[in-house]
């Protein structure tokens, strides 16, 4: 069956470092992947979309890569700040269906 | 622009009771989604509407869950009767239907006791 998976363990990094989060998918080939940020008690907020023919996408301190050979997307936050602490979700559609979400990775940036 | 509105924010009910959630999407967004998010997990799709028609309800437990989107604007999700395992956050989202991000509401946190 189609799966989209994220490392469920929390990621703890020091302020100023680059955070790298991983999203892997199996048994399907999504046309695009999306990344969301979710703060406690709030709904997910859309950050970036990367299509299968794009290797990399950037937005301010955020960078997303999409490797269709490895079936993986990496999400980077450079010069991380304590305000970046949140849960980050990756998501993709399976065919024409609505987005399927990973379980999210909690990022904690220490000052 | 106004965001996706959901109410109530919190609800506590006893098992076997019924409950309803309301969602008002972004104006002009044709597609509306209801997701269930259990603590520590990612959102799971329950139902997708395109205007007032159902596109996908394959993961909706139809013996107890129902949803409607009359007039293709706001939507209600109902659970009757509720079970303990229905305790979760119910998120409503909307989109234009084209490739792009979804806009989520803040959700309704349901606790079934």
């Amino acid at each position: 069956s189609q799966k989209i998976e994220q490392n469920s363990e929390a990621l703890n990094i020091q302020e100023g470092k680059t955070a790298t989060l991983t999203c892997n998918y199996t048994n399907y080939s999504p046309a695009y992947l999306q990344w969301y940020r979710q703060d406690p008690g709030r709904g997910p907020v859309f950050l970036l979309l990367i299509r299968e023919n794009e290797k990399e996408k950037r937005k301010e301190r955020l960078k997303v890569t999409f490797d269709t050979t490895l079936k993986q997307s990496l999400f980077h936050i450079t010069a991380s700040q304590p305000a970046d602490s949140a849960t980050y979700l990756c998501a993709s559609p399976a065919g024409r269906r609505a987005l399927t979400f990973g379980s999210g990775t909690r990022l904690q940036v220490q000052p | 622009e106004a965001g996706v509105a959901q109410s109530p924010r919190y609800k506590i009910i006893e098992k076997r009771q019924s409950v309803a959630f309301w969602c008002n999407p972004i104006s002009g967004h044709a597609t509306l989604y209801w997701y269930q998010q259990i603590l520590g997990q990612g959102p799971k799709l329950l139902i997708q509407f395109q205007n007032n028609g159902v596109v996908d309800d394959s993961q909706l437990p139809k013996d107890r869950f129902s949803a409607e989107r009359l007039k293709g604007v706001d939507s209600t999700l109902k659970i009757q009767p509720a079970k303990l395992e229905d305790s979760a956050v119910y998120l409503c989202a909307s989109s234009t239907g084209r490739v792009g991000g979804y806009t989520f509401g803040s959700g309704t946190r349901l606790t079934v006791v």
Side-chain angles (χ1 to χ4, degrees), chain A residues 19-89:
Chain A
T20 299
L21 286 67
T22 304
C23 177
N24 296 292
Y25 57 92
T26 54
N27 299 325
Y28 73 115
S29 298
Y32 57 88
L33 285 163
Q34 298 186 11
W35 284 87
Y36 288 77
R37 169 181 173 142
Q38 186 172 26
D39 291 287
R42 311 296 294 179
V45 174
F46 171 70
L47 296 174
L48 282 166
L49 179 153
I50 184 165
R51 298 176 189 272
E52 60 180 342
N53 62 349
E54 297 174 315
K55 296 293 185 186
E56 181 179 298
K57 197 77 138 331
R58 291 176 184 263
K59 179 183 175 182
E60 298 173 353
R61 295 184 295 111
L62 309 180
K63 184 179 84 171
V64 173
T65 62
F66 193 171
D67 189 324
T68 56
T69 301
L70 294 178
K71 293 184 177 289
Q72 181 179 82
S73 175
L74 298 179
F75 176 82
H76 307 271
I77 305 176
T78 58
S80 59
Q81 305 165 0
D84 296 325
S85 299
T87 295
Y88 292 86
L89 299 157

Side-chain angles (χ1 to χ4, degrees), chain B residues 14 34 46 102:
Chain B
E14 295 182 350
W34 283 101
L46 293 175
Y102 294 179

Side-chain angles (χ1 to χ4, degrees), chain B residues 97-111:
Chain B
R98 297 186 295 273
V99 173
Y102 294 179
T103 303
F104 281 85
S106 293
T108 296
R109 180 176 296 277
L110 173 68
T111 302

Side-chain angles (χ1 to χ4, degrees), chain A residues 34 36 38 41 43 97 99 102, chain B residues 9 35 37 42 56 58 100 102:
Chain A
Q34 298 186 11
Y36 288 77
Q38 186 172 26
R97 299 183 67 179
L99 292 177
Chain B
R9 283 285 279 133
Y35 280 84
Q37 187 172 26
D56 184 358
S58 58
Y102 294 179

